[in-house]
Amino acid sequence: MLTREQAESLKLGVPLTDGNLLKAESAFEWIAENTTLTVDMDALEALPASVRLFIVRFIDIMSTRAGVQSESAEGLSQSFSSTDKGTLIWQYAEELLGKWLKSRVRFVTAHKRW
């Protein structure tokens, strides 16, 4: 479990609400499952900047409503994105955690035969 003191040592620049602490902890679980990076929870301040930035992006992605890209209160308008959260997380992971990522196998369906 990620404590508030551990999260503060990361200096993420996000409000440390209970929800964000839970999202940061989930980011660590994602990192443990999908990378070869070993995280020492007693020395979080030693994490590379790219890992800390990934955690911030993970929190941002998990904080947005699915599909909503932007909103305007006065004009009552919304724009939507078809990109799902999992795809965004993998994009940031490839950019920021590339050298630690485990190989990723993806299966795609064929649209038509040869």
Side-chain angles (χ1 to χ4, degrees):
M1 179 172 191
L2 182 69
T3 65
R4 187 170 302 278
E5 292 77 25
Q6 290 171 320
E8 286 172 356
S9 74
L10 288 168
K11 299 178 181 163
L12 298 175
V14 296
L16 296 178
T17 62
D18 289 343
N20 282 347
L21 285 174
L22 187 58
K23 291 169 191 164
E25 188 173 344
S26 295
F28 279 111
E29 289 175 4
W30 193 98
I31 289 168
E33 188 174 312
N34 296 290
T35 70
T36 58
L37 188 66
T38 303
V39 177
D40 181 1
M41 296 303 279
D42 294 324
L44 291 178
E45 62 279 350
L47 281 176
S50 60
V51 176
R52 293 194 317 256
L53 183 56
F54 174 78
I55 295 167
V56 171
R57 293 296 170 231
F58 188 96
I59 292 170
D60 289 343
I61 291 167
M62 297 310 288
S63 297
T64 59
R65 291 191 337 215
V68 176
Q69 186 174 9
S70 65
E71 295 181 289
S72 171
E74 293 177 17
L76 299 175
S77 66
Q78 290 182 324
S79 60
F80 296 90
S81 170
S82 61
T83 307
D84 65 282
K85 290 180 180 185
T87 301
L88 287 172
I89 289 170
W90 272 103
Q91 285 175 350
Y92 281 119
E94 288 168 354
E95 290 174 19
L96 299 169
L97 307 176
K99 64 183 173 183
W100 298 292
L101 277 181
K102 293 179 183 175
S103 61
R104 180 179 173 200
V105 177
R106 296 189 319 183
F107 295 95
V108 293
T109 56
H111 292 286
K112 61 182 180 179
R113 293 183 172 205
W114 295 84

